[in-house]
Amino acid sequence: MTRRIRGISGPTVSVEFSGLKLYERLYVGHAMLTGEVVRLDRDRAVVQVYEDTKGLGIDEPVNIVGMPLTVRLGPGLLAGMFDGLQRPLKRLREDMGPFIIRGKQMYALDHMKRWRFSPLKRKGDDVRTGDILGYVEEGAFKHLITCNCDGRIVWITDGEFSLGEPIGKLEDGKEIFGCHEWPVRMSRPYKRKFPPSEPLVTGQRCIDFLFPIARGGTVILPGGFGTGKTILEQAIAKSADVDIVVYVGCGERGNEMADLIDEFATLSDPWTGRGLMERTILVVNTSNMPVAAREASIYTAATMAEYYRDMGYHVLLLADSLSRWAEALREISSSLEEMPGEEGYPTYLASRLSGFFERAGVVETLSGRIGSLSMVLSVSPPGGDFTEPVTQACLRAAGAFLMLDTSLAHRRHFPAINYFQSYSLYEKDIVRHFNEQISSEWAGLMQRCRELLQAEERLREVAEIIGVEGLQDADMILMKVAEMIRIEFLCQNAYAEDAFSPPEKTVSKIREVVEFYDSSISRLREGVSRNQ
Ligand SMILES: Nc1ncnc2c1ncn2[C@@H]1O[C@H](COP(=O)(O)OP(=O)(O)OP(=O)(O)O)[C@@H](O)[C@H]1O
Ligand SMILES: [Mg+2]
C-alpha cells in the first residue's frame, strides 16, 4: 500500500493519514528510508524518519510495511555490530564500502549461515509460548530457541539449519523458525520480577567497595565534559561479571567507538578468558550518524539484551550517553511542534526515561529460568550542571548514582567518582553478600574507609587554617592514610594492569591500608614519635 509525502520538517515528514496505525513502520520516499508513525492527526500522519531526510521531496511515495519497528532476534547476534536500526555494519561495509547508503535494508542476521540445532522437545510434545524447543551453540553460549506460539509439535529438526528454514512445525500447520522479530518499544514478557540482590562485580574498586551495584539494577554515571564517562563505561564493559554485554555508543564520538572495536577484538574476558567480543554486542549510533535513529538505538539494544536475558543469562546494557538520546528526543519533539517542557525537552522525557529503566531487572523467564538485565548509563549534563532535566529524571529512576566529579578529574583522580555524593540503593544487600562470600571483614572495612575519608575532609579544613604542620601526629597519620586510600585504592588507571580488580584483591588492598593505619596509631600511642 502506498501513501504520499505531504510535508517535510527536519527528521519528520507528514503523510496522508488513511489506514495508518501509531508506531507502524514505513518506507519513506524513493530512497525507501525507514520511518515510524509517531502521531496521527485528523488529516495527516506524522512519520519520524530514522535516516537523513536530505533530498526527500513532496509527493514521493510512502510504503506501508504493516508492522511496527522491530529487531530480528536469533543466533548470530553475539560479536555483532549494528546501527540504531539493527543493520549489520560489518556486512554493510562488505556490501557497499565504508558509507551506508540511505535506505539500504539488510537482515541483522546472516540467513546463509548454517547452525546446528539440538532439540529438547520431540514430535508429539505440547508446547506453549516461551517453552524451550532446543538450542544452538553460539560461541561458548547455549543459544536457546523458544517457541512463540502454542500447539503440538508434528515435526522438529535435529541437525543443521539456516535462519530462513523452519526448524519445526505445529499441528495447526504453523512453522517454527530459529529467529523472529520483536517490536523494539515493547518489553519482552516474563513470569515475574525480583528485587535485585546479587552483586554485579565491575572490577572497579570504588564501585564494588563503596557503591556496590546489583545484577538487574540501574546505574547512572553523570559527569561533565572529560570526567571519564566513556573510559569508565568501557572499563565496566570489559570486566563486568556478567554473561553478555550490550554496548550502545549513542551520539558520542565515532573515533572512540572505533578504538573500542579495535581494543575489544584483542582483549579477553577476565572471568572466563574467552575473547571479549564473543560475549559482546555493539550498537553504534555515533554523532555522525542520523539523529533520529539514536532515539531507536537504545530500544534496539534493550530488546536484544532482553532476548538473551530470556535464555537465563545475566546481561549488562551500557549506553554512552543517555543525554544524546534525550537530545534526539528533543529534536524530534520540536519538529513535531509539541509543547516544550523544561529546557525544551518534551514533557514526557521523565516518563520515557523511567519506562526505559523499567526494562531492567531480575526476572523469572517464561521458561522458568532466572535472568537479569542491568543497565549502566552515562549522562552528560551540559556544563556539569546536575540540576538539568535529564540528570534529574535519571536520578529519580535509577538505583545507583555515581557522580563523576570535575575537580577530581582535574586532579587526574580516575575514575572520578565523588565518594561523598554518590550512592547506591543496592548497598545493603550487596554488602551482606560480599560479607558472606568474599570476606567477613567487608562491611567493617567499608565503614572504616568511609570514616577515614570523612575525617580527612574535616581535617583538611582545619589544615587550611592552621597549616599541616599544626596538626597533631595522629591527624597527620590519618591524612597520610586517607591519601593512600584515595590514590592507591580508589584510583584505578584504565590503561594499566590494575584496570580490573577482583573483589578478593579489592578487600585485601583496603585491609592493608586500614591495618597500616591501626598499627601506626598504636605505635604512636606506645610513644614512638613519627620522626623515629
Ligand atoms: N580510569 C581512567 N584512567 C586513566 N585515565 C582516565 C581514566 N578515565 C578518564 N581518563 C582520562 O580522561 C580523559 C577523558 O575521559 P573520557 O573521554 O572518558 O571523558 P568523558 O566524560 O567521556 O568526556 P566527554 O564528556 O567528552 O564524553 C581520557 O582521555 C583519559 O585521559
Ligand atoms: Mg565520552
Side-chain angles (χ1 to χ4, degrees):
M1 278 196 289
T2 307
R3 301 280 175 281
R4 297 272 153 201
I5 298 180
R6 288 289 169 246
I8 304 169
S9 157
T12 58
V13 299
S14 51
V15 179
E16 291 165 347
F17 164 78
S18 61
L20 290 178
K21 296 194 192 86
L22 198 59
Y23 291 122
E24 186 160 7
R25 183 178 187 163
L26 304 169
Y27 291 136
V28 179
H30 296 302
M32 302 279 279
L33 310 179
T34 301
E36 195 181 19
V37 179
V38 288
R39 196 164 79 198
L40 292 171
D41 288 340
R42 191 186 292 268
D43 55 350
R44 58 171 202 155
V46 183
V47 178
Q48 172 175 329
V49 182
Y50 287 117
E51 294 175 81
D52 199 344
T53 48
K54 255 184 238 135
L56 269 189
I58 303 289
D59 268 350
E60 282 194 32
V62 175
N63 291 301
I64 300 175
V65 182
M67 55 200 249
L69 190 66
T70 56
V71 289
R72 192 159 276 241
L73 302 170
L77 289 173
L78 290 180
M81 211 189 307
F82 305 96
D83 76 350
L85 299 176
Q86 210 205 17
R87 288 182 297 192
L89 294 175
K90 269 189 220 153
R91 280 191 288 125
L92 277 181
R93 193 175 69 171
E94 285 160 17
D95 206 40
M96 63 172 105
F99 297 101
I100 303 175
I101 299 168
R102 289 188 312 154
K104 177 81 183 174
Q105 309 295 330
M106 194 183 256
Y107 281 135
L109 300 169
D110 186 351
H111 277 226
M112 306 307 283
K113 184 168 175 170
R114 297 195 73 74
W115 298 90
R116 170 83 180 76
F117 179 75
S118 309
L120 295 171
K121 295 276 180 201
R122 279 179 300 179
K123 183 178 166 186
D125 283 350
D126 286 321
V127 286
R128 295 178 52 191
T129 305
D131 282 355
I132 295 161
L133 295 171
Y135 63 88
V136 298
E137 306 279 352
E138 188 181 9
F141 294 95
K142 258 192 183 165
H143 185 120
L144 304 179
I145 309 275
T146 46
C147 192
N148 51 6
C149 44
D150 299 357
R152 175 165 295 167
I153 299 174
V154 289
W155 167 75
I156 190 159
T157 188
D158 183 357
E160 291 209 339
F161 75 106
S162 69
L163 296 179
E165 301 165 14
I167 54 166
K169 201 170 180 183
L170 297 182
E171 209 168 41
D172 61 4
K174 214 169 195 172
E175 288 182 323
I176 308 167
F177 288 86
C179 69
H180 65 278
E181 303 267 334
W182 189 267
V184 292
R185 293 182 191 277
M186 208 165 110
S187 48
R188 289 176 61 84
Y190 50 83
K191 262 190 200 152
R192 56 190 170 137
K193 216 173 209 178
F194 303 99
S197 60
E198 251 191 54
L200 193 166
V201 177
T202 62
Q204 298 293 307
R205 285 188 292 272
C206 184
I207 301 179
D208 294 341
F209 192 68
L210 290 183
F211 310 105
I213 59 180
R215 281 178 174 169
T218 48
V219 180
I220 60 160
L221 298 175
F225 167 70
T227 47
K229 300 178 290 294
T230 306
I231 303 273
L232 185 55
E233 287 258 322
Q234 294 185 358
I236 297 174
K238 283 179 212 161
S239 50
D241 181 18
V242 287
D243 300 309
I244 285 160
V245 171
V246 184
Y247 187 98
V248 198
C250 184
E252 292 288 309
R253 291 176 286 269
N255 63 329
E256 286 178 347
M257 207 64 203
D259 290 348
L260 178 136
I261 294 162
D262 288 344
E263 207 186 347
F264 271 40
T266 60
L267 293 176
S268 51
D269 173 359
W271 300 95
T272 60
R274 292 192 295 262
L276 203 54
M277 262 324 270
E278 283 178 39
R279 69 164 196 178
T280 311
I281 302 173
L282 299 174
V283 178
V284 185
N285 209 216
T286 47
S287 49
N288 54 345
M289 294 167 91
V291 171
R294 227 184 264 173
E295 208 264 315
S297 66
I298 64 164
Y299 295 110
T300 298
T303 312
M304 290 192 281
E306 284 176 344
Y307 176 61
Y308 281 96
R309 172 205 70 185
D310 290 348
M311 294 176 208
Y313 289 121
H314 297 293
V315 188
L316 170 62
L317 172 76
L318 297 130
D320 184 29
S321 120
L322 218 50
S323 298
R324 307 280 166 259
W325 170 82
E327 280 163 17
L329 200 68
R330 174 163 66 182
E331 193 166 323
I332 294 155
S333 163
S334 80
S335 74
L336 291 175
E337 294 169 11
E338 288 173 343
M339 170 84 85
E342 227 182 315
E343 291 189 19
Y345 288 106
T347 45
Y348 47 79
L349 171 74
S351 63
R352 274 281 168 93
L353 271 171
S354 40
F356 177 68
F357 280 65
E358 275 295 318
R359 293 179 78 160
V362 184
V363 301
E364 181 184 345
T365 67
L366 293 183
S367 62
R369 284 156 200 263
I370 302 293
S372 72
L373 169 55
S374 322
M375 293 184 181
V376 175
L377 312 160
S378 76
V379 181
S380 354
D385 170 17
F386 294 110
T387 60
E388 60 91 38
V390 182
T391 315
Q392 287 299 312
C394 288
L395 199 59
R396 284 193 289 271
F401 168 75
L402 305 179
M403 176 187 152
L404 300 184
D405 194 317
T406 312
S407 65
L408 289 178
H410 281 165
R411 281 188 261 147
R412 313 259 341 132
H413 173 120
F414 288 119
I417 298 171
N418 182 312
Y419 37 83
F420 292 128
Q421 293 187 34
S422 304
Y423 66 80
S424 165
L425 299 179
Y426 311 111
E427 184 185 308
K428 219 166 114 204
D429 287 334
I430 307 301
V431 167
R432 191 182 319 123
H433 200 284
F434 280 141
N435 235 30
E436 286 163 12
Q437 306 289 329
I438 308 288
S439 161
S440 54
E441 297 163 290
W442 191 286
L445 288 170
M446 181 176 142
Q447 188 60 26
R448 293 289 306 278
C449 174
R450 287 214 169 124
E451 282 166 8
L452 286 167
L453 289 169
Q454 274 158 3
E456 184 204 26
E457 198 62 12
R458 281 196 301 273
L459 282 176
R460 209 184 275 165
E461 286 168 21
V462 178
E464 269 170 26
I465 301 166
I466 60 169
V468 181
E469 295 72 27
L471 292 178
Q472 293 180 349
D473 287 350
D475 292 342
M476 296 273 269
I477 292 171
L478 192 144
M479 294 281 277
K480 197 74 210 152
V481 168
E483 188 183 290
M484 279 166 71
I485 293 179
R486 283 187 287 108
I487 296 174
E488 286 167 31
F489 181 71
L490 296 181
C491 284
Q492 234 174 309
N493 188 338
Y495 305 107
E497 211 178 299
D498 187 39
F500 168 67
S501 177
E504 293 78 9
K505 182 175 161 192
T506 298
V507 77
S508 83
K509 225 172 155 137
I510 191 73
R511 188 190 298 119
E512 268 173 35
V513 182
V514 172
E515 280 175 2
F516 172 73
Y517 174 71
D518 289 344
S519 73
S520 306
I521 292 290
S522 61
R523 282 177 68 209
L524 184 75
R525 293 222 174 101
E526 283 160 17
V528 184
S529 132
R530 72 189 138 100
N531 297 322
Q532 276 178 336

